[in-house]
Amino acid sequence: MVGSLPGEVGEVERLRGELAGFAADVFASLPRRDQRRWGACYVRGLMLDGRRKSVQPMAERLPDGNMQALQQFVNQSPWDPLPVRRRIAERLTEVITPEVWVIDDVSFPKRGRASVGVARQYCGAVGTRANCQVAVSVYAVTDAASCPLHWEWYLPREWTDKPDRCRRAGVPNDVVHQEKWRLALGLLDTLTDWQLKAPVVVADAGYGVSTPFRIGLEERGLTYVLALTGKEVAHPEDAEPHQPRLRRARPTDAAPLPDPTASRLRPRSRGRCRPVHRGDLAPGQQRRNDLTVRGPDRPARGHAVHGCGAEAAAAAGGTASCTPRHS
């Protein structure tokens, strides 16, 4: 920052000249001369010492500062920011030669509700849910340096579902809600259009768990390293989905089911069977059979079932093993 630089006038002037050249380069796409002038002034305000970087305190610190002119330049003057961002991204990429591009959320805590996109949501700056703005961004990163290449505000549905609120905040009419992973893919597409090539794309689990995001990176031919939560399931590449066969409905022409009123042939609760009276037996019919009955939802258990073993077993819904005993 300027306040920490050597005190020699010549050194300060030399650095101001370089800064003026930088501003002239990145603001060359602005159509009017006064826009380029106040753009350079705004950049110098950002570089000066001072905790607050809003328009009013910067205008007070600048010798040629004008709060109204700076406010007009930032909020109301019609100029396209994308060519400015592109030139900044090109210059920064040339300087640091990034090893990876990092996709991340950048949060800005807020107190009011008028700023674009402000809502109660997770705020990384404070580590919990809070009233804040969130921007999805792409950073060029090395072991020694990092810089933003492109970014875009995230608008929650509570904004996009209220056109009047968006209009009051200056949000264009064609802006709709997009998930963060969609915004991230859009930023990567824009950087590709700017002829910037991603070495490796890196992101945390907030993006790594999104299957559409991973597929989007694959479709774009990008190399990536994404964090996961550990709950994801992976299958071999040649695995095919399998759905178990469901029981079909009973055909209309099938044999009728046993009469449910024939309680003498059905076991009681807990696997016990009701005895068959002597008068119910035909002459010469077996009086007792030892059966092993297993219902469809329990293991096999041995029971002594009085009556016809095969019929009793069928009524119990299981299998039967008979040892006849004659009276």
Side-chain angles (χ1 to χ4, degrees):
M1 296 183 179
V2 173
S4 61
L5 295 174
E8 292 84 356
V9 176
E11 182 70 8
V12 174
E13 291 299 324
R14 184 185 69 81
L15 293 175
R16 286 181 178 177
E18 292 182 2
L19 187 57
F22 171 81
D25 181 24
V26 299
F27 290 120
S29 61
L30 272 61
R32 300 203 311 261
R33 182 178 178 180
D34 63 311
Q35 292 174 327
R36 296 190 294 272
R37 173 195 171 188
W38 291 114
C41 184
Y42 185 77
V43 171
R44 284 192 285 111
L46 294 176
M47 299 298 294
L48 289 174
D49 277 338
R51 183 175 180 180
R52 295 184 61 195
K53 300 296 182 179
S54 55
V55 169
Q56 181 177 353
M58 286 196 307
E60 294 173 353
R61 290 192 293 265
L62 289 166
D64 56 343
N66 183 307
M67 186 180 70
Q68 183 176 356
L70 287 175
Q71 192 76 32
Q72 174 77 15
F73 169 76
V74 173
N75 287 345
Q76 301 176 13
S77 183
W79 54 277
D80 187 358
L82 286 184
V84 176
R85 292 188 188 181
R86 176 176 182 174
R87 187 59 190 134
I88 293 175
E90 291 170 344
R91 289 182 61 118
L92 293 177
T93 301
E94 294 171 358
V95 172
I96 72 170
T97 312
E99 299 171 358
V100 297
W101 283 3
V102 176
I103 297 175
D104 197 10
D105 297 345
V106 181
S107 56
F108 305 89
K110 293 286 184 178
R111 293 184 178 180
R113 295 180 52 82
S115 300
V116 175
V118 67
R120 185 166 182 81
Q121 54 194 321
Y122 180 78
C123 180
V126 298
T128 186
R129 288 177 60 86
N131 198 58
C132 66
Q133 294 171 295
V134 174
V136 178
S137 59
V138 179
Y139 280 78
V141 177
T142 69
D143 286 339
S146 66
C147 62
L149 298 179
H150 201 13
W151 57 92
E152 188 167 347
W153 287 120
Y154 169 72
L155 288 182
R157 291 191 182 276
E158 62 185 83
W159 273 81
T160 56
D161 291 346
K162 299 178 180 178
D164 292 341
R165 187 181 186 186
C166 290
R167 184 166 51 253
R168 288 194 301 268
V171 178
N173 295 330
D174 58 346
V175 175
V176 298
H177 171 78
Q178 294 188 72
E179 299 87 346
K180 292 179 180 179
W181 64 266
R182 291 187 189 274
L183 294 175
L185 290 178
L187 296 176
L188 294 175
D189 290 340
T190 301
L191 292 171
T192 300
D193 294 340
W194 293 351
Q195 306 303 313
L196 299 177
K197 182 175 177 58
V200 178
V201 176
V202 179
D204 62 17
Y207 293 91
V209 298
S210 172
T211 299
F213 179 68
R214 299 195 303 269
I215 293 176
L217 296 177
E218 292 278 355
E219 293 174 345
R220 290 161 175 78
L222 297 173
T223 304
Y224 60 87
V225 178
L226 305 177
L228 298 173
T229 62
K231 300 179 181 179
E232 291 72 24
V233 178
H235 300 280
E237 185 177 3
D238 57 351
E240 296 183 0
H242 170 70
Q243 182 176 359
R245 295 182 59 183
L246 301 178
R247 289 186 177 182
R248 296 182 178 180
R250 183 177 178 84
T252 56
D253 58 348
L257 292 173
D259 184 1
T261 62
S263 59
R264 292 190 298 272
L265 299 180
R266 298 204 318 270
R268 288 184 178 181
S269 61
R270 300 183 181 178
R272 293 177 298 184
C273 297
R274 182 176 181 178
V276 180
H277 298 285
R278 184 185 299 271
D280 296 330
L281 299 176
Q285 186 175 356
Q286 303 165 357
R287 292 194 56 188
R288 177 188 175 107
N289 291 304
D290 291 335
L291 302 177
T292 302
V293 179
R294 184 181 66 237
D297 57 349
R298 66 182 62 190
R301 298 177 61 184
H303 302 285
V305 181
H306 297 274
C308 179
E311 292 181 87
T319 58
S321 174
C322 302
T323 304
R325 295 182 182 179
H326 299 279
S327 55

